[in-house]
Amino acid sequence: MQDPEIPGASIVFDRVEKTFEKPGGAPFRALEQASLTVEPGAITGVIGRSGAGKSTLLRMVNGLETPSAGRVIVDGRDVGAARGSALREIRRSVGMIFQHFNLLSSRSVYGNVALPLEIDGTPAGEIRTRVNDLLARVGLEGLRDRYPAELSGGQKQRVGIARALATRPRVLLSDEATSALDPETTQTVLRLLAEINRDLGLTILLITHEMTVVRDIATHMAVIDAGRIVEAGPTYDLFTRPQHETTRSFLSGITGVTLPSFIAGRLVPARPAGPAQEVLRITFAGPHATEPMLARLTAELGIGVNILAGAIEEIGPHPFGKLLVSIDAARGDEARAYLQRHQLLAEVLGYVG
């Protein structure tokens, strides 16, 4: 039996601040004027280094942390101001999966998934139907009587995901849910989260320090640095045209393309006198990303292009690539203008005489 569609809820972080008091020491400010809007039904990745404040931000969505200033709004409800039954209702609508699974070793797979429903007072017959449906959804129906010690890391995380879905939440939080897994298992878990988002319409907010996780699953992303959201938007936009240095630093590991040493060692910043080659970094994004623009450049303008290095990525359904090329420096302005007219970014890296 399929779950009914659960419309995802919006999440708004409105100038959120969080300061932790330290006995005998100076207060630590984990978040500072952090603002971010998470669209309903989106998969939004928040990426930052260790200590940047991303876990604190995530824990505010279900009231595990409260802001020192500012507001966190989930589906129109102020989480920090909620108390009693109102806070319990918000928490019921927010599921969470953890880096280290947080399963009860004394309970079977079935028992772990059933736990939130038991706490909620759900009738036994309804629990049985719900848990069986969830185990089928995450591909663990044959392991219902196993215990966590008998499971692989990927299977434990699937149990965690099923448990997080038990109360039919509208928001799913992922706290570094794949960082303890090997690359192949990570991809399996990410595909499962994408399927859940597609089938149920949940809003998924995940935190990670791995840019590849954001690339592979997130429709939107935010970059947090020293407690501030420094850049946010659609994932493709931030990958192809990052504005902040922190974003560019994260991207360098997966979209960086380096010059061959025999070129890099001769590169100079200013165009030398006489014949020279201009070295360009061309970013392929937008509507012309898959078109043979360099071949067209040569055919239409007669400008030869020497490809030095390159890499192609796929961000969601969109292609994105970078090429390092060299062209006749005397025709550099003409070539760059042609590429920019076709919405390709061309940057001069230097010159080789």
Side-chain angles (χ1 to χ4, degrees), residues 32-117:
E32 184 175 357
Q33 292 287 304
S35 293
L36 175 68
T37 296
V38 178
E39 298 295 334
I43 302 177
T44 299
V46 178
I47 188 163
R49 299 183 179 91
S50 178
K54 55 188 185 296
S55 291
T56 303
L57 193 77
L58 191 80
R59 289 164 60 85
M60 288 185 173
V61 178
N62 57 6
L64 294 178
E65 298 286 355
T66 56
S68 303
R71 300 183 303 160
V72 179
I73 310 296
V74 177
D75 197 27
R77 298 173 293 183
D78 188 337
V79 181
R83 299 290 184 272
S85 61
L87 181 57
R88 287 193 295 274
E89 181 60 31
I90 290 172
R91 286 176 171 167
R92 192 176 295 113
S93 71
V94 179
M96 191 165 183
I97 53 178
F98 301 90
Q99 177 181 4
H100 295 296
F101 321 124
N102 284 20
L103 303 180
L104 295 178
S105 61
S106 60
R107 277 185 166 243
S108 65
V109 167
Y110 181 97
N112 270 282
V113 178
L115 182 60
L117 295 171

Side-chain angles (χ1 to χ4, degrees), residues 136-153:
R137 175 175 286 283
V138 301
L140 293 178
E141 57 266 58
L143 301 178
R144 66 192 305 279
D145 297 323
R146 299 280 185 90
Y147 286 83
E150 303 174 273
L151 304 177
S152 68

Side-chain angles (χ1 to χ4, degrees), residues 28 62 145 205 315 337 351:
F28 170 69
N62 57 6
D145 297 323
L205 180 64
I315 304 168
Y351 298 87

Side-chain angles (χ1 to χ4, degrees), residues 9 43 88 133 221 250:
I43 302 177
R88 287 193 295 274
D133 288 346
M221 64 178 286
F250 274 114

